[in-house]
Amino acid sequence: MSLADIQSRITSAEQQAGRKAGSTKLIAVSKVQPNENVRSVLEQGHKLFGENKVQEAAGKWPKFREQFEQVNVHLLGPLQTNKARQAMGLFEAIHSLDRPKLANTLARLAQELGNCPDLFIQVNTGEEAQKSGVSVSDADQFIADCRELGLPVVGLMCLPPAQEDPAPHFRSLRAIAEQNGLENLSMGMSADFEIAIQEGATHVRVGSAIFGARDYSGQAR
Ligand SMILES: *Cc1c(COP(=O)(O)O)cnc(C)c1O
């Protein structure tokens, strides 16, 4: 599918949900995609991208930023504390704030650097052992703790279990956000972004539907 196709599907989903046109931001997830495909999306004027790994983003985005203005790149994947400083210089937002140790590190760096990317707290709505994110029952407290640290928490993010109906997970994320006065919901990917928009997503993270399937053969995952 083309970028334009995805954008028009987003607009229809917004309409069907009775939401304002443009209320959902499209994050084009460029991880693992060949640079020429990313460049083509940049040339179409798209400005908002998502990456999963600090190292990969560091090798790609400083160069693109020299050539394209006002690009925003969001980190979607897990962040190790020893890469936090580097991440703060690479991304406009981090969607994977998921534990106290990382919150403390980001707060310390934010003090030192005088700025901080927008932060989304990742919630493990499916309570899956292998997935990051705070549990639903710990979310309110963790949000409060992050605010106490002065961190710019702007919203929540989730990645529902692969084999389940995502709608209840999106609803659960939205309920936690509303309860805590958070405006942004990062939810929905290629397979389910229209459902996410129905449930109130403000940021959908779409990779393969825009760029085609990812080819991991050339690199370590
Ligand atoms: C890879 C990834 C996406 C995009 O997935 P697609 O199915 O290709 O749209 C979205 N969010 C996160 C956190 C990802 O890691």
Side-chain angles (χ1 to χ4, degrees):
M1 283 223 170
S2 71
L3 179 68
D5 290 332
I6 300 297
Q7 253 149 2
S8 78
R9 282 172 60 188
I10 289 174
T11 306
S12 313
E14 286 172 337
Q15 224 161 36
Q16 269 175 28
R19 297 182 47 188
K20 227 172 74 196
S23 54
T24 316
K25 295 198 173 82
L26 171 60
I27 301 176
V29 183
S30 46
K31 65 180 183 198
V32 189
Q33 300 292 349
N35 279 349
E36 61 268 26
N37 297 4
V38 181
R39 175 179 297 280
S40 143
V41 170
L42 281 160
E43 281 167 352
Q44 292 169 64
H46 195 74
K47 300 288 185 193
L48 179 56
F49 292 82
E51 289 286 340
N52 248 35
K53 293 184 173 169
V54 174
Q55 231 41 58
E56 185 184 341
K60 191 188 293 185
W61 286 101
K63 276 176 267 168
F64 280 141
R65 284 184 198 270
E66 286 173 14
Q67 296 156 41
F68 298 90
E69 286 177 359
Q70 291 174 333
V71 166
N72 271 245
V73 186
H74 291 192
L75 178 67
L76 311 177
L79 178 58
Q80 295 170 279
T81 49
N82 64 2
K83 298 213 174 116
R85 180 185 294 273
Q86 192 183 6
M88 288 177 86
L90 280 170
F91 303 106
E92 276 78 16
I94 294 171
H95 291 230
S96 51
L97 174 52
D98 61 352
R99 60 198 192 280
K101 187 180 177 201
L102 180 59
N104 287 324
T105 302
L106 291 173
R108 182 171 46 75
L109 290 167
Q111 280 267 323
E112 182 193 318
L113 303 169
N115 60 56
C116 186
D118 287 342
L119 300 174
F120 291 74
I121 290 175
Q122 183 173 352
V123 181
N124 189 358
T125 57
E127 311 288 342
E128 295 172 280
Q130 80 282 12
K131 232 169 233 176
S132 14
V134 290
S135 69
V136 171
S137 57
D138 291 342
D140 290 347
Q141 186 61 52
F142 186 60
I143 293 164
D145 292 346
C146 289
R147 284 174 160 161
E148 186 83 13
L149 286 168
L151 290 172
V153 178
V154 301
L156 303 178
M157 181 271 235
C158 76
L159 256 169
Q163 309 304 334
E164 283 181 33
D165 175 4
H169 296 275
F170 295 154
R171 250 168 256 149
S172 151
L173 196 72
R174 181 183 189 161
I176 299 167
E178 282 176 354
Q179 213 162 287
N180 289 280
L182 289 169
E183 285 185 3
N184 293 289
L185 292 168
S186 166
M187 56 190 200
M189 322 204 312
S190 292
D192 57 16
F193 67 88
E194 282 142 323
I195 301 168
I197 291 168
Q198 185 65 44
E199 301 299 340
T202 60
H203 294 69
V204 292
R205 311 179 308 261
V206 180
S208 42
I210 296 174
F211 294 102
R214 285 177 290 276
D215 177 4
Y216 287 100
S217 59
Q219 59 194 105
R221 287 186 81 162

